[in-house]
Amino acid sequence: MSIVRTAPSAGRESMQDSIQAAAMPSAAADNSPRHTMSDTQNPPSSFSAIDFLRTKSLTNVVQAEIERMIIDGEFQPNERVNENGLSQRLGVSRGPIREACSALAALGLIEIIPNRGFFIRALSNEESLDLSEARAGIFGCMTMMLAERATDAQVGILRALIARMDEIVAQGEVHTYYPVNLEFHKQIASMSGNNRLNSIYQSFVRELHIQRFRALSSPDVLHISNSEHREIVDAVEARDPVRALIAGRAHILNGIVRSNRARPPEGGVVSGSAAATTTARVAKTAAAAKTAKTTKVTKATGSGAGTAGTRTAGAGSAKPARGTRRTI
């Protein structure tokens, strides 16, 4: 079934402005004296190049708009992309729409079915779990790296985003919370300082956006999500890489559980075995976090005991105290 939803007038005007901007080079070329010359036997070679650039720019604008529609939930998994409807809505021909959909197919957002058209890709539960676990590992690694190199200014940016999300949580606005949540994760990925990890992470984000939005589909879970954000930033501000890794990875794994508990897409079924497996993995991560904190406290206690031993027994007791810390 083909579904075309109408967007707010402001959104349509913004899209039209972008399309007009993309088409400006062509309009400028049409007013150029070069194209009003009567001699058409030797047309300027730059004409085809300008037309090519205009088409590519327009395709990029259309691609960004369709991607936004998918992420915002205007399309549902397995829904067919209505090319005629989009052509009328966006005010463009079907050519740029087809090129944009082909590009989004290469990114894993759209599936091409021969003789049927373009469809919004739906991940199976197994694919979603695999991607989410991979994303959890990479995000945990990036939070660890950020804890090793974070500046006070970067921590301030993350704190400001958390404060903004706190305000949204109080209002229970899921659609307002989601883009700020995306920005928080994007900032951490960028601040980690590793472009290769960031690139891989963003590719996972694009494929998992529908599942991620579903994980935050209820206002009841927003405060849980942001409390996990706060734990991440607390670890980063403390410059504790191990704690940051555990907090970052656990946040993503907890999101998988929240997504599984949310309403599945139309025609989909949440796999009980997948949900149970994910829950078990999250439980292990939580246990690891608790162990890490306990170990940290034990190290601090051992350090104090070693200091006291040094005061009472002299320098000779210092070596056993260091050995005790290594054993712990």
Side-chain angles (χ1 to χ4, degrees), residues 10 19 35 57 80 88 128 134 161 170-171 199 263 277 287 311:
I19 292 173
H35 298 292
S57 298
R80 182 177 179 274
Q88 295 176 8
S128 177
L161 288 171
Q171 301 169 358
S199 176
R263 181 179 179 181
T277 300
R311 287 196 300 266

Side-chain angles (χ1 to χ4, degrees), residues 94-107:
R94 293 173 61 182
I97 291 176
R98 288 176 176 174
E99 291 183 31
C101 287
S102 296
L104 292 172
L107 295 175

Side-chain angles (χ1 to χ4, degrees), residues 63-64 66-73 77 100 103-110 120-123 127-128 131-132 135 178 182 185-186 195-213:
Q63 177 182 337
I66 296 175
E67 182 174 351
R68 181 200 64 75
M69 293 167 66
I70 296 173
I71 292 176
D72 287 351
L104 292 172
L107 295 175
L109 296 181
I110 284 179
I120 305 303
R121 185 185 174 203
L123 294 175
E127 288 178 314
S128 177
L131 281 170
S132 296
R135 175 173 167 254
Y178 186 65
L182 290 180
H185 286 254
K186 183 179 178 181
N195 293 330
R196 180 59 62 88
L197 282 179
N198 189 6
S199 176
I200 296 173
Y201 177 78
Q202 295 303 330
S203 70
F204 291 157
V205 167
R206 282 192 292 268
E207 291 191 69
L208 287 166
H209 60 85
I210 293 177
Q211 284 75 9
R212 294 178 67 197
F213 185 84

Side-chain angles (χ1 to χ4, degrees), residues 143-155 158 191 236-237 239:
T143 54
M144 176 188 69
M145 296 171 68
L146 178 57
E148 295 172 337
R149 63 187 66 174
T151 65
D152 292 340
Q154 289 174 328
V155 172
L158 297 177
M191 291 175 182
V236 169
E237 188 172 29
R239 273 63 175 184

Side-chain angles (χ1 to χ4, degrees), residues 83-84 87 92-99:
E83 297 176 27
N84 288 329
S87 176
V92 299
S93 66
R94 293 173 61 182
I97 291 176
R98 288 176 176 174
E99 291 183 31

Side-chain angles (χ1 to χ4, degrees), residues 16 27 82 90 92 106 114 124 145 156 163 179-180 204 217 228 233 235 241 247 251 262 271 274 303 317 324:
Q16 291 296 336
N82 188 326
L90 304 181
V92 299
S124 68
M145 296 171 68
V180 184
F204 291 157
S217 59
E228 293 170 359
V233 177
H251 174 56
S271 169
S303 176
S317 62
T324 301

